Every structure is written in C-alpha cells, then in structure tokens.
Amino acid sequence: MSEVEGSTVVSNTSIKEINSVFTSQEVLDILHPGWSEKRLENNDVFPFFMNSKLGISYCLQPFLTRTIPSYENLDPKCWNEFFPKICQFNLGIIPRNIPDNWDITEMKYQRITFGDSMEDLEKTYSSNIKRIKKKQDIFSLDSDTSLSTFFTFMKKNNPFFLKMKNILFARFQELILYFDSNGMGELLCLKNEKREIVAMSYYVFDGNSVIDFKGSSTREGKKTGAVAGLHLKAFERYHSNFRFYDFYGANSSRRAHFNRKFGSQQVSYYQFTRIDYHRFIKKIIKKIWSI
C-alpha cells in the first residue's frame, strides 16, 4: 500500500483528472442535463447528479465520464448523508475511512506514456503489432471526414451505439459537436487502398492527454488490422504534442489485452456503490439500474 495525497491506493498506478474536460460545466450540461451543486455546512460545494426512477431517487456516474475527481475532496464520513440510498460513482483513488455499507470495485483502463522518440515506443509493440506496422502502406489517414458520416458509421459498426437509447446518442452527438467546434478534438479515419473507410475514431484533447474516445471499424477493417493501423497513425500524429495516449474506457479484458500490445500500462480507478435496501430489493435494484 502507498500513500497518495492523504489517500490509500492499492494499485500500481493512480489517476487524477481534476482539470479534465469531461468534468467542465459545459460538458456536464450536455451529458447530465439538470445536474446541480450541493453545499455542505462548511460551504464546500460539489456537483450532484440526481435522477429518479419508479419514484426512487438515485445518483450515478454521469454518462460517458470516467471519474468525478472533485469527490476525492469529499470526506467519506459525509457520503451516507450526502448521497441518496442508491449511488454509484468512480474515483481515481481510494480515500480513507470508507463507510462499511459501500462496495468498492477496481476498474482499469490503458494508457501509453509517450517517450522522447517514436523508436522507443515502437520497441514496446508486440510482434503482431510490428507485423501490422510493416503493412501500414495499405492504409491512409484522413482528417477531413464529416461528423455526420462519423455518427452514421458508429451506429452501423459499433455494438455499444447500436443498443444505445436515442436520447443518449443525441447527447453523444452534442458532445462531439461541442468538442469539435471548440478545437478540443478531431476525427481521424483510416482508409484502404480503394479509399473506403475501414476504421475511425474521435480523439479528444484533454490537457496533456489525447484520448481515443469513441471509434469503430468495419468488418473488413477488423480482418485487416485497421484498428491497430489507426492507433499507429495516431501515435505518429500526436506523439510530439501530448504526454499520454489514453485508450479511455476499457474494462473489457479482451480489449485491455489488445491495448497492451502497444506497450500501454494498466491504470486503476475505483467504483464506489451503495444500495441501502434489503438484500432481496437490492438484487432487483441492481438489475433495473444495471449497477
């Protein structure tokens, strides 16, 4: 165990994202309309993400965000009073003195730390990635594709978006449009020799990190290694401008295994859940709220 800024961490790497673009007021307005601020007796103010279903109030991690860094400054002794009986949020650390009625789950994503040269990064690639790199000439990078094409492509090729409710997909679209109109990201597409799009992803610029936020590939792209090819092109594009290449959400062990082939490191963060109801009702709530 090691001590980090007064909190206990039980992983090899911890994250802090206080200045993340995903926790700005503008982004929260898009991803969780109606969020509010809640003030403690000592006048400290924290964001509050209240919802209601079947007449029951609950507070969950906002859509498409990874952590709520400001909650790291909220004394865990206040958690039971501050939050409703159904609550779930993520932090980059494990604070001390978590109340016994909160469950803690370790989550992971992968991140590359860019070194002084691309040669150093390339040495960390797996043999499979090195083989794909040798065939990169079959692909070309395009940064001029329209966002409308991107949204259609995601709906067609990404299972996550195929199942997404229309209201949530509309928020995703609004978020990408916000990032794009403010110079906070860009869309990159990979095309084959026929100039057909085989993979694309939207990259978000977040301080010293470039985030591979959301993307997908065609069936052909999956067969030809287009996703790996897009990452390799992106590394070359962003290496000199950012410190980290962030694969963002990747709790899937299969996706994590793929990301590690590029020499990325595992980064841990933590999910905190409270459902203060009888065990039988708790099971029903977990199913309804998917927590």
Side-chain angles (χ1 to χ4, degrees), residues 88 99 124 145 150 152 192 199 201 214 222 225 258 261 277:
Q88 187 176 81
T124 67
T145 302
F150 171 61
T152 301
N192 61 17
S201 186
K214 293 295 177 184
K222 290 179 173 66
F258 174 72
K261 291 182 178 182
Y277 287 91

Side-chain angles (χ1 to χ4, degrees), residues 81-106:
E81 180 180 353
F82 184 85
F83 296 109
K85 289 185 176 183
I86 303 173
C87 183
Q88 187 176 81
F89 59 87
N90 306 331
L91 299 180
I93 60 174
I94 300 180
R96 294 178 177 178
N97 303 315
I98 303 296
D100 293 338
N101 59 336
W102 287 79
D103 296 324
I104 305 173
T105 303
E106 184 177 17

Side-chain angles (χ1 to χ4, degrees), residues 189-256:
C189 300
L190 202 69
K191 295 183 177 180
N192 61 17
E193 293 171 308
K194 299 177 182 178
R195 300 295 295 168
E196 298 167 332
I197 296 175
V198 288
M200 63 170 62
S201 186
Y202 195 87
Y203 290 84
V204 177
F205 309 146
D206 193 7
N208 59 7
S209 295
V210 56
I211 299 172
D212 173 34
F213 184 46
K214 293 295 177 184
S216 191
S217 68
T218 63
R219 186 173 299 178
E220 178 199 339
K222 290 179 173 66
K223 293 179 181 178
T224 57
V227 174
L230 182 56
H231 284 311
L232 294 172
K233 297 283 189 185
F235 295 164
E236 295 172 0
R237 187 177 183 87
Y238 299 126
H239 178 270
S240 60
N241 296 318
F242 295 93
R243 183 183 177 193
F244 300 111
Y245 186 91
D246 187 336
F247 289 94
Y248 210 59
N251 279 293
S252 161
S253 58
R254 181 178 179 181
R255 185 176 171 192

Side-chain angles (χ1 to χ4, degrees), residues 16-270:
K16 298 279 285 181
E17 302 173 312
I18 297 300
N19 297 317
S20 171
V21 296
F22 288 93
T23 56
S24 70
Q25 178 176 333
E26 294 80 6
V27 169
L28 291 180
D29 284 343
I30 294 170
L31 298 183
H32 194 104
W35 71 280
S36 61
E37 293 183 335
K38 192 169 181 178
R39 187 180 300 274
L40 299 181
E41 291 183 359
N42 63 3
N43 287 325
D44 286 343
V45 177
F46 295 91
F48 200 59
F49 307 99
M50 186 67 80
N51 276 311
S52 179
K53 183 183 290 186
L54 304 177
I56 301 175
S57 298
Y58 62 97
C59 180
L60 302 181
Q61 180 75 28
F63 176 56
L64 293 179
T65 65
R66 186 160 57 201
T67 65
I68 307 176
S70 61
Y71 284 176
E72 294 176 9
N73 300 317
L74 178 60
D75 189 340
K77 295 178 182 177
C78 301
W79 284 11
N80 285 337
E81 180 180 353
F82 184 85
F83 296 109
K85 289 185 176 183
I86 303 173
C87 183
Q88 187 176 81
F89 59 87
N90 306 331
L91 299 180
I93 60 174
I94 300 180
R96 294 178 177 178
N97 303 315
I98 303 296
D100 293 338
N101 59 336
W102 287 79
D103 296 324
I104 305 173
T105 303
E106 184 177 17
M107 314 284 279
K108 293 181 184 294
Y109 75 97
Q110 293 74 49
R111 181 177 69 183
I112 288 174
T113 302
F114 285 143
D116 295 331
S117 67
M118 280 298 299
E119 288 76 15
D120 291 336
L121 176 59
E122 290 166 3
K123 291 176 183 177
T124 67
Y125 296 164
S126 71
S127 56
N128 184 45
I129 298 301
K130 289 178 180 177
R131 282 195 297 270
I132 293 174
K133 186 178 185 303
K134 291 180 180 179
K135 300 177 181 178
Q136 271 201 99
D137 290 343
I138 67 172
F139 299 122
S140 60
L141 192 67
D142 181 6
S143 60
D144 295 323
T145 302
S146 69
L147 290 180
S148 60
T149 299
F150 171 61
F151 297 139
T152 301
F153 188 89
M154 294 298 283
K155 272 282 192 180
K156 181 179 180 180
N157 296 289
N158 190 314
F160 176 73
F161 290 97
L162 282 173
K163 301 174 184 178
M164 185 177 289
K165 294 179 180 178
N166 289 337
I167 187 173
L168 295 182
F169 189 73
R171 290 179 189 175
F172 167 72
Q173 290 177 296
E174 187 179 354
L175 177 68
I176 297 300
L177 290 168
Y178 168 76
F179 284 149
D180 214 61
S181 63
N182 286 279
M184 299 165 69
E186 67 174 344
L187 175 64
L188 296 183
C189 300
L190 202 69
K191 295 183 177 180
N192 61 17
E193 293 171 308
K194 299 177 182 178
R195 300 295 295 168
E196 298 167 332
I197 296 175
V198 288
M200 63 170 62
S201 186
Y202 195 87
Y203 290 84
V204 177
F205 309 146
D206 193 7
N208 59 7
S209 295
V210 56
I211 299 172
D212 173 34
F213 184 46
K214 293 295 177 184
S216 191
S217 68
T218 63
R219 186 173 299 178
E220 178 199 339
K222 290 179 173 66
K223 293 179 181 178
T224 57
V227 174
L230 182 56
H231 284 311
L232 294 172
K233 297 283 189 185
F235 295 164
E236 295 172 0
R237 187 177 183 87
Y238 299 126
H239 178 270
S240 60
N241 296 318
F242 295 93
R243 183 183 177 193
F244 300 111
Y245 186 91
D246 187 336
F247 289 94
Y248 210 59
N251 279 293
S252 161
S253 58
R254 181 178 179 181
R255 185 176 171 192
H257 177 71
F258 174 72
N259 293 345
R260 294 297 299 276
K261 291 182 178 182
F262 298 94
S264 63
Q265 303 84 38
Q266 296 272 30
V267 183
S268 293
Y269 61 107
Y270 305 90

